[in-house]
Amino acid sequence: MKQITILLLALSFSAGISAQIFTRYTAVKTGMSMREKPDAKAKVLEKIPYSEKLTVNFYSDSVIDITTEGITGKWVKVTYKGKTGYVVSSYLFPSPPPKQGVTTLKAYLAQISTVAGPAVTRKSTEKMGEADFITTLTKQLYKNGAELHTYYAYEYNSDAYFLPEFSIEQGFLLMRLLGEYNDVMSPADVLPAANGKKKTKYGECNYEIERETYGPVKTLKYQWEEGGYYVLSFTLMDGQLVITSSGGV
């Protein structure tokens, strides 16, 4: 009886693993190649358009890594128009990518979800010498679990965007698609392999990247000056990506 129970549990676990399929969306403007085999040289079965909805099997028989534009992903099995093939996971988003005309993170949140009730605002007073300055923190929750936190203080402000299920690599690709910070992250940029700097029309932009010991990016940060100092950072927190844009003088 014990052996039968163990066998049934093993079969149940195996079935559960094979049933791990997800919905994802293509995020390649020029279209994504679905190949016959998990190989960049394999026959192309379909050219999947931008923002198409796919059924993805992340527990397929493929565990082959592939690096493109500095981002390491895996070949995953997908089903599209009745055909089954392989695509690179790096360019699959958990939410639809930006539509035409959506060029800011705030507009992107409005595209992929609706707000979950009114925003909550908290104000406080900071005393600096003889003057009092009001600081304001506003939090807006969205129905898909995303959040937007906006903070205003004396000569400083920041916006923090919480995106469930996104990785830092996907956040990097998302920002390229939006073009909100094209001066520091152009559509042609690849994910940095190490810390460095680049020239912008306003001067120099420094970037820092930190990776986990097993590969994925842990933090990514850009810092530059443009009449003040600005920081664009990407971090992971409890299964969600946090993109923070801040600036001051």
Side-chain angles (χ1 to χ4, degrees), residues 63-120:
V63 290
I64 301 172
D65 288 344
I66 178 170
T67 300
T68 53
E69 299 188 295
I71 301 170
T72 299
K74 296 183 181 298
W75 288 101
V76 293
K77 189 180 289 185
V78 300
T79 301
Y80 179 70
K81 287 188 176 179
K83 296 180 181 179
T84 298
Y86 294 85
V87 299
V88 179
S89 64
S90 311
Y91 299 94
L92 297 175
F93 282 7
S95 300
K99 295 179 179 179
Q100 185 174 0
V102 174
T103 58
T104 66
L105 270 171
K106 188 173 183 179
Y108 181 63
L109 287 188
Q111 173 197 312
I112 62 176
S113 187
T114 55
V115 297
V120 175

Side-chain angles (χ1 to χ4, degrees), residues 115-184:
V115 297
V120 175
T121 298
R122 180 181 182 275
K123 294 185 177 182
S124 59
T125 302
E126 290 185 2
K127 197 167 188 65
M128 299 180 67
E130 297 297 319
D132 291 338
F133 295 94
I134 304 296
T135 63
T136 305
L137 174 62
T138 301
K139 297 184 179 183
Q140 177 65 66
L141 178 65
Y142 291 77
K143 290 183 178 179
N144 70 341
E147 294 181 55
L148 169 57
H149 296 186
T150 302
Y151 179 76
Y152 291 100
Y154 178 67
E155 296 186 335
Y156 174 83
N157 68 277
S158 70
D159 295 308
Y161 302 84
F162 294 73
L163 297 171
E165 297 187 69
F166 273 79
S167 66
I168 289 179
E169 292 88 340
Q170 290 168 332
F172 171 81
L173 294 174
L174 172 62
M175 294 306 297
R176 286 198 331 186
L177 289 169
L178 289 170
E180 186 172 2
Y181 294 95
N182 265 350
D183 293 331
V184 295

Side-chain angles (χ1 to χ4, degrees), residues 19-76:
Q20 295 298 314
I21 56 177
F22 300 86
T23 297
R24 291 293 184 266
Y25 300 85
T26 58
V28 182
K29 283 282 191 180
T30 56
M32 175 178 279
S33 296
M34 182 173 75
R35 299 187 181 273
E36 187 176 35
K37 297 178 182 179
D39 188 325
K41 297 180 180 179
K43 177 183 176 181
V44 176
L45 300 177
E46 285 283 348
K47 195 75 169 180
I48 307 175
Y50 178 73
S51 197
E52 281 291 289
K53 183 178 179 179
L54 297 178
T55 300
V56 183
N57 181 359
F58 278 101
Y59 293 90
S60 66
D61 53 2
S62 169
V63 290
I64 301 172
D65 288 344
I66 178 170
T67 300
T68 53
E69 299 188 295
I71 301 170
T72 299
K74 296 183 181 298
W75 288 101
V76 293

